[in-house]
Amino acid sequence: MQKALNDLESSEILSREQAALLRRIYGRELFSVHWELRLLLYGGILILTAGLGLLVAEHFASIGHLTLLAAIALGCVACFAYCLRHGGGFSPESLATPDAAYDYVLLLGCLLLGTLQGYLELRYQFLDQYWNWWLLASALIYLLCAHYFDNRLALSLGLSTLGAWLGVKTSHLGTGLWDGALRDSALFFGALVIAAGAAQTRLGWKRHFLPVHLHLGVNVLLTALVAGVGSRAAGSAYLAGLLLTGSGSAFYALRERSFAFLLYAVLYGYVGITIFMLDLGHWSSEGIIFYFLVSAVTLLTALVALHRRFGSA
């Protein structure tokens, strides 16, 4: 095994780091489970908060309102107190994480805060029909926590909650799920998220937050454009916007060597072009099956080839 690894490394099939990792595994030495532990922590936080939400929804009458409020509030305060004690304070630059649990304790505190706000509105209806302002307040608090504690999980939560608030505000206009008003709101939100990330990077403030802004903003933009391709009135305009945005995402992927943005461009572009072509004319069942067979095989082949090129680079 050692000889095989030496041969693979000398022929540059394996990099030095990959060969060293395989040698440690073969020799039964310790190796990192950093990302596995982070994934388990993240999943545990989500399961815990989901279970707490179900507990509040189903048993709040028997447990008692004040008891539930006090328990959730104490848990939230404890999480934020832990982060304030162990965190390094605000800085425009990236901060080192104090320990493995820090990010997830902050995420738990933010989710408990959201649960507390939802329970207060459910029980006391402070804002009545304007309850969506709780979403805006939550989004602003999450964004504040993200920038103060330098946490990208809280940033993702804040940006997605802000998008949810904008969607709820638009739905109150009496519009459907993917009609023009909601698509316009999604396009505005996606462009705003990308512009905010670019502005922060330009100003030298939290530059490491840019990927979070780009991933969310590009996905929202491309989703809204794909949803508009099927509209009869402006389908071609949405398709042109989709191809333009996808080209920008692909160019960024090639420049930054980030395969994810190339994947977004290819997959969303494929879905948009497929919708446009199927709406363009009358297709027989055999024609549709043939189209999907040929296009799917071509798409998978292209993605595998591009992924290999990115991996070798």
Side-chain angles (χ1 to χ4, degrees), residues 6-66:
N6 292 334
D7 293 340
L8 290 172
E9 184 179 3
S10 61
S11 60
E12 297 184 352
I13 296 176
L14 291 177
S15 66
R16 181 180 299 177
E17 292 79 10
Q18 291 171 332
L21 175 61
L22 291 174
R23 288 191 185 96
R24 289 200 302 271
I25 295 174
Y26 176 70
R28 296 186 179 181
E29 300 175 10
L30 294 177
F31 61 94
S32 174
V33 291
H34 172 77
W35 292 109
E36 290 82 356
L37 289 176
R38 289 179 72 93
L39 181 61
L40 288 174
L41 282 170
Y42 183 72
I45 293 298
L46 293 182
I47 293 173
L48 177 62
T49 51
L52 182 60
L54 291 174
L55 178 68
V56 170
E58 294 184 10
H59 302 290
F60 66 89
S62 58
I63 297 176
H65 303 298
L66 293 179

Side-chain angles (χ1 to χ4, degrees), residues 19-177:
L21 175 61
L22 291 174
R23 288 191 185 96
R24 289 200 302 271
I25 295 174
Y26 176 70
R28 296 186 179 181
E29 300 175 10
L30 294 177
F31 61 94
S32 174
V33 291
H34 172 77
W35 292 109
E36 290 82 356
L37 289 176
R38 289 179 72 93
L39 181 61
L40 288 174
L41 282 170
Y42 183 72
I45 293 298
L46 293 182
I47 293 173
L48 177 62
T49 51
L52 182 60
L54 291 174
L55 178 68
V56 170
E58 294 184 10
H59 302 290
F60 66 89
S62 58
I63 297 176
H65 303 298
L66 293 179
T67 304
L68 278 174
L69 279 174
I72 298 172
L74 285 174
C76 183
V77 170
C79 290
F80 284 115
Y82 176 89
C83 294
L84 286 170
R85 182 177 179 181
H86 291 82
F90 176 78
S91 171
E93 304 296 331
S94 177
L95 296 174
T97 304
D99 52 61
Y102 178 80
D103 289 342
Y104 301 94
V105 171
L106 178 61
L107 177 63
L108 177 60
C110 291
L111 293 175
L112 286 176
L113 179 62
T115 303
L116 180 63
Q117 290 174 315
Y119 178 70
L120 286 173
E121 181 60 28
L122 176 68
R123 177 68 180 88
Y124 300 105
Q125 297 181 345
F126 290 119
L127 299 179
D128 199 15
Q129 69 268 29
Y130 301 106
W131 62 267
N132 59 87
W133 290 105
W134 283 113
L135 285 175
L136 180 60
S138 299
L140 296 178
I141 293 172
Y142 299 155
L143 291 174
L144 177 62
C145 290
H147 288 82
Y148 182 81
F149 295 108
D150 192 48
N151 188 276
R152 280 177 281 193
L153 290 174
L155 177 65
S156 301
L157 186 61
L159 291 175
S160 57
T161 306
L162 187 62
W165 171 78
L166 186 61
V168 171
K169 287 291 291 181
T170 305
S171 67
H172 282 178
L173 300 176
T175 57
L177 181 61

Side-chain angles (χ1 to χ4, degrees), residues 94-293:
S94 177
L95 296 174
T97 304
D99 52 61
Y102 178 80
D103 289 342
Y104 301 94
V105 171
L106 178 61
L107 177 63
L108 177 60
C110 291
L111 293 175
L112 286 176
L113 179 62
T115 303
L116 180 63
Q117 290 174 315
Y119 178 70
L120 286 173
E121 181 60 28
L122 176 68
R123 177 68 180 88
Y124 300 105
Q125 297 181 345
F126 290 119
L127 299 179
D128 199 15
Q129 69 268 29
Y130 301 106
W131 62 267
N132 59 87
W133 290 105
W134 283 113
L135 285 175
L136 180 60
S138 299
L140 296 178
I141 293 172
Y142 299 155
L143 291 174
L144 177 62
C145 290
H147 288 82
Y148 182 81
F149 295 108
D150 192 48
N151 188 276
R152 280 177 281 193
L153 290 174
L155 177 65
S156 301
L157 186 61
L159 291 175
S160 57
T161 306
L162 187 62
W165 171 78
L166 186 61
V168 171
K169 287 291 291 181
T170 305
S171 67
H172 282 178
L173 300 176
T175 57
L177 181 61
W178 273 121
D179 62 357
L182 194 53
R183 280 197 301 269
D184 291 344
S185 296
L187 291 172
F188 169 75
F189 175 70
L192 180 64
V193 169
I194 294 174
Q200 283 190 205
T201 304
R202 183 84 175 178
L203 295 172
W205 187 44
K206 299 291 184 185
R207 289 190 180 96
H208 55 292
F209 279 2
L210 179 61
V212 178
H213 284 264
L214 292 181
H215 280 288
L216 179 61
V218 167
N219 275 283
V220 171
L221 276 178
L222 293 175
T223 301
L225 290 168
V226 166
V229 170
S231 63
R232 301 273 179 192
S236 57
Y238 278 105
L239 180 63
L242 175 64
L243 295 177
L244 182 62
T245 306
S247 300
S249 179
F251 175 77
Y252 178 83
L254 294 173
R255 192 186 72 177
E256 300 295 328
R257 312 306 303 174
S258 176
F259 182 72
F261 288 96
L262 184 62
L263 187 65
Y264 299 153
V266 173
L267 291 182
Y268 283 104
Y270 171 74
V271 174
I273 292 172
T274 299
I275 293 173
F276 186 77
M277 290 186 64
L278 292 180
D279 286 344
L280 194 60
H282 300 286
W283 290 68
S284 64
S285 300
E286 294 80 4
I288 293 176
I289 294 173
F290 179 76
Y291 169 80
F292 277 110
L293 283 175

